[in-house]
Amino acid sequence: MTYKRKDGRKNDEMRSPIIAKVGIVPNADGSAMFQIGKTIAIAAVYGPKKMHPQHSQNPERGTLRCTYNMLSFSVEDRIRPGPSRRSTEISKITQWALDPVVMLNNYPNMVVDVHISITQADAGTRCAGINAAAMALAHAGIPMRDMVSSVAVGKMDKTIVLDLDKYEDSEFEDGEGSTDIPMSFTNNGEMTHLQLDGKITKEQLKEAAKMAQKASKEIYEIQKKALKESLGDLK
Ligand code: ADP
């Protein structure tokens, strides 16, 4: 039996709306928002600037430093402000997903700070954060060799489905079917990030990666359009 999605989406259909905007934090060097369904992420980039503390400086290349934070009002039950084990993990993951595309060789001892805030959380926040961060980096004029687009694939009751919402993410939490696989891709098709939480066969993992890669292309087009629109003011 195939899994029927509660919101009526096809198995390979992302949530809607998908909205991307650039330049939403005027004081930042670059900024962007990315919304998918009810999940909303904003990202602000500052830098390149001198790295502090000094002992963290890398004399070979500049450092990308990402900070992910879920705002206290982003879910119904207030979240305690401040770093948590989860936010530290997602900050690292975001950094690793974006590091392969940023070209900071000409910025030794410098840092590019990327602050990501989740204003509304309904699952898939790390992917939305990565999408917003990649756009904000491009908007800040940070040299990049490609864009990064991120989406999660899950396994619901043995069926592979794209872009779980909070209901789907929690529905099978204690059951055998609970699997969530956030992935990030360059537009060139290279995978820069994959996390696997749960169990999956090799065949299904391949199917999941294919589905996510295809969806990442759709996300890329939306990111590109938003960035192009922001350049419109230069005319
Ligand atoms: P992601 O948001 O990337 O899918 P998780 O799987 O850790 O990451 O979280 C899934 C969802 O669970 C979040 O998007 C959010 O809606 C909810 N959530 C996560 N942490 C908390 C929390 N501390 N309090 C309430 N809800 C949370």
Side-chain angles (χ1 to χ4, degrees):
M1 200 187 80
T2 49
Y3 174 76
K4 215 163 168 30
R5 305 184 88 171
K6 200 177 172 225
D7 60 4
R9 275 188 288 156
K10 290 189 225 126
N11 291 342
D12 62 350
E13 190 178 343
M14 287 186 282
R15 285 173 282 178
S16 56
I18 302 180
I19 301 169
K21 277 190 195 144
V22 161
I24 56 153
V25 183
N27 276 357
D29 295 313
S31 62
M33 75 79 84
F34 187 87
Q35 171 171 5
I36 183 158
K38 286 190 272 185
T39 289
I40 306 174
I42 60 174
V45 169
Y46 291 88
K49 58 188 182 178
K50 198 111 187 133
M51 165 69 105
H52 292 293
Q54 207 170 341
H55 66 78
S56 297
Q57 288 180 358
N58 181 351
E60 314 248 296
R61 75 186 287 260
T63 304
L64 182 71
R65 183 166 60 189
C66 299
T67 315
Y68 164 102
N69 179 39
M70 234 159 88
L71 297 183
S72 48
F73 55 79
S74 62
V75 286
E76 214 171 301
D77 300 324
R78 177 179 177 274
I79 294 180
R80 197 161 160 232
S84 62
R85 197 202 61 78
R86 179 177 173 273
S87 66
T88 306
E89 176 219 315
I90 298 180
S91 299
K92 278 261 169 245
I93 288 297
T94 303
Q95 207 163 299
W96 291 340
L98 297 169
D99 233 355
V101 301
V102 293
M103 301 190 298
L104 297 178
N105 292 347
N106 292 332
Y107 300 95
N109 302 323
M110 312 276 267
V111 63
V112 174
D113 262 319
V114 186
H115 301 280
I116 298 156
S117 288
I118 306 301
T119 56
Q120 204 165 265
D122 191 69
T125 60
R126 72 197 64 205
C127 297
I130 290 168
N131 292 334
M135 286 193 294
L137 283 164
H139 183 232
I142 303 297
M144 293 165 83
R145 63 178 183 84
D146 209 339
M147 193 25 60
V148 172
S149 313
S150 185
V151 69
V153 169
K155 194 176 77 173
M156 304 293 298
D157 204 15
K158 299 193 173 64
T159 305
I160 299 294
V161 293
L162 186 63
D163 184 34
L164 303 188
D165 63 14
K166 182 71 187 101
Y167 169 79
E168 292 177 325
D169 195 39
S170 16
E171 190 181 21
F172 285 87
E173 218 147 58
D174 303 318
E176 208 200 306
S178 161
T179 304
D180 189 20
I181 316 164
M183 287 175 256
S184 305
F185 296 89
T186 65
N187 181 45
N188 206 14
E190 292 166 57
M191 188 186 275
T192 65
H193 150 234
L194 178 147
Q195 285 177 281
L196 175 53
D197 172 17
K199 287 184 192 162
I200 194 159
T201 63
K202 207 167 146 189
E203 280 62 42
Q204 279 198 311
L205 184 58
K206 274 189 192 160
E207 185 191 336
K210 232 176 169 177
M211 194 185 265
Q213 196 180 37
K214 186 165 170 263
S216 75
K217 295 266 177 205
E218 283 174 49
I219 292 173
Y220 168 76
E221 291 302 328
I222 294 166
Q223 290 170 304
K224 189 170 81 175
K225 188 163 172 266
L227 282 160
K228 267 193 172 164
E229 273 165 15
S230 78
L231 289 174
D233 329 333
L234 293 178
K235 277 184 204 153

